[in-house]
Amino acid sequence: MERVFAKWGALEASVLVSYGDELMLGLWPSGLFAYNGSEWRQIYEPKELGFSAWSYEIFRGRLYIGAGTYSSGLVLEYDGNEVREVLRVPDGAGGGGGLFEALSAIGGTLYAGRRNEVWASQDGERWSKVFEFRTGKGVYLIGEQGGSLYVFEGEPIRPPSRVYALSGSTASERVYGDVGAFRSHTPGSRSSYRGYLVVADFDGRVYFFRNFELWEVYSFASRYEVRGNVAVRPKKVGDILLLAAGTGTGVAETHGELVAYLGGEWRRLLTLPLNIHDVEVYGEHIYLACNSPALPLRHGYNTSYCCVLRLPIDALKDL
């Protein structure tokens, strides 16, 4: 394993996605960076305080990033040359704030979710609000099953949490009284595994979901001392389902794990003294977006350390 990127003073490395011939990285609050296999360049420098990016999707050949600042929720578009803003709405910040923490392209439409809202666009340019709810929670996963759109509530971390099914003009919901918040941030296409949507909760439990039913298939709960703020990102790479795990913002425990599921068997690939908030395959390597704790102070958070680590893709080929 080797380190290919490091930065002090960034709170969280939260987005890692391969697009075109580059690897994209999102840092809170430093902006967006692109890596060509040998060099990094900054492609987006925030103009407002509190920038954070947690979701992403490729739609009509372009990369879209769900982001926000302390004042606004943002969707950004990257075409390989420049980043531009395609949606801005008032009120920002994550954890149930106005940050767009879910993006999914489904049936020729790009959906973006944030607190109390789902937005949609057919061209990435013109956006409209297509669904509202009133619980004050964010949206952390948008996926499709059987012709219905499923919307999963995220933070704030307090039960109950709801999943909404949208079909045409009809909306229904299911309440999960023991789930503090769902967590994914991954596009629906890469959260789908063999007919199920894969989603985690903040206790570190991982579920297969279908037709409002949850089946717990893995749990990190016993591996962490912290309770109620374990950050798990499910992400499918080819036929392999990966789980990147760490702890959430403001938690002192620093502990990351990478787990793979293939052929009905779970395998823990590695454990790190850093949180792992995203994982991606790029070229002949697996890349991990990692950070040390961002601990709360009276006004904001302390400085933290973020890095990108890589290991040979043979770690997956041997599964």
Side-chain angles (χ1 to χ4, degrees):
M1 181 181 295
E2 61 180 319
R3 183 182 61 194
V4 297
F5 179 92
K7 186 174 181 63
W8 286 97
L11 300 183
E12 288 179 331
S14 49
V15 161
L16 201 60
V17 56
S18 177
Y19 170 66
D21 58 359
E22 295 179 308
L23 181 69
M24 316 304 299
L25 170 67
L27 288 184
W28 174 20
S30 301
L32 303 177
F33 298 79
Y35 179 61
N36 63 9
S38 58
E39 295 180 340
W40 292 88
R41 62 188 179 99
Q42 186 166 11
I43 61 172
Y44 178 79
E45 184 175 357
K47 301 177 179 62
E48 300 173 355
L49 294 176
F51 174 83
S52 182
W54 279 98
S55 60
Y56 44 82
E57 177 65 293
I58 297 173
F59 178 68
R60 295 182 178 267
R62 299 190 176 190
L63 176 66
Y64 291 82
I65 302 286
T69 66
Y70 289 146
S71 61
S72 304
L74 302 172
V75 176
L76 305 173
E77 178 199 81
Y78 178 59
D79 62 2
N81 294 307
E82 63 177 354
V83 175
R84 66 187 189 96
E85 184 183 299
V86 294
L87 177 62
R88 172 185 288 266
V89 289
D91 301 325
L99 167 64
F100 280 100
E101 300 197 67
L103 281 178
S104 287
I106 299 169
T109 300
L110 181 61
Y111 294 93
R114 69 176 205 142
R115 181 190 57 216
N116 291 338
E117 299 174 347
V118 176
W119 291 69
S121 175
Q122 277 73 50
D123 58 8
E125 298 279 348
R126 294 163 292 184
W127 292 82
S128 61
K129 192 186 303 180
V130 295
F131 179 65
E132 292 184 272
F133 53 98
R134 297 297 179 192
T135 64
K137 288 204 167 195
V139 175
Y140 277 22
L141 172 63
I142 301 171
E144 188 273 336
Q145 282 183 342
S148 293
L149 199 72
Y150 286 91
V151 176
F152 292 75
E153 288 186 339
E155 293 185 77
I157 308 170
R158 59 169 183 258
S161 293
R162 291 168 173 81
V163 179
Y164 305 91
L166 313 180
S167 181
S169 60
T170 302
S172 55
E173 68 178 62
R174 175 76 61 87
V175 179
Y176 301 87
D178 60 344
V179 176
F182 289 104
R183 194 178 195 279
S184 176
H185 302 298
T186 311
S189 60
R190 298 189 68 178
S191 293
S192 179
Y193 189 79
R194 300 185 179 181
Y196 298 95
L197 289 172
V198 185
V199 66
D201 66 23
F202 274 80
D203 288 323
R205 297 173 294 189
V206 181
Y207 305 94
F208 284 175
F209 172 95
R210 186 160 60 195
N211 300 329
F212 280 127
E213 298 298 323
L214 289 174
W215 290 270
E216 184 178 335
V217 294
Y218 192 83
S219 178
F220 291 94
S222 64
R223 302 277 300 165
Y224 285 83
E225 294 181 6
V226 67
R227 292 292 181 267
N229 204 347
V230 180
V232 181
R233 188 192 288 264
K235 193 170 187 179
K236 186 177 67 173
V237 175
D239 292 329
I240 299 174
L241 175 63
L242 296 175
L243 305 176
T247 56
T249 310
V251 176
E253 181 180 358
T254 307
H255 170 199
E257 298 199 3
L258 181 64
V259 173
Y261 180 74
L262 182 65
E265 182 180 358
W266 293 97
R267 300 186 187 183
R268 190 164 65 248
L269 300 181
L270 56 85
T271 301
L272 293 176
L274 292 167
N275 298 315
I276 307 174
H277 279 167
D278 206 351
V279 56
E280 182 66 300
V281 171
Y282 170 69
E284 293 300 312
H285 292 86
I286 305 166
Y287 289 80
L288 308 174
C290 303
N291 62 268
S292 63
L295 299 179
L297 302 174
R298 186 172 182 179
H299 301 289
Y301 292 92
N302 71 331
T303 58
S304 183
Y305 170 76
C306 293
C307 66
V308 176
L309 306 177
R310 73 179 181 186
L311 61 155
I313 200 171
D314 289 345
L316 295 181
K317 293 178 179 178
D318 293 339
L319 290 177

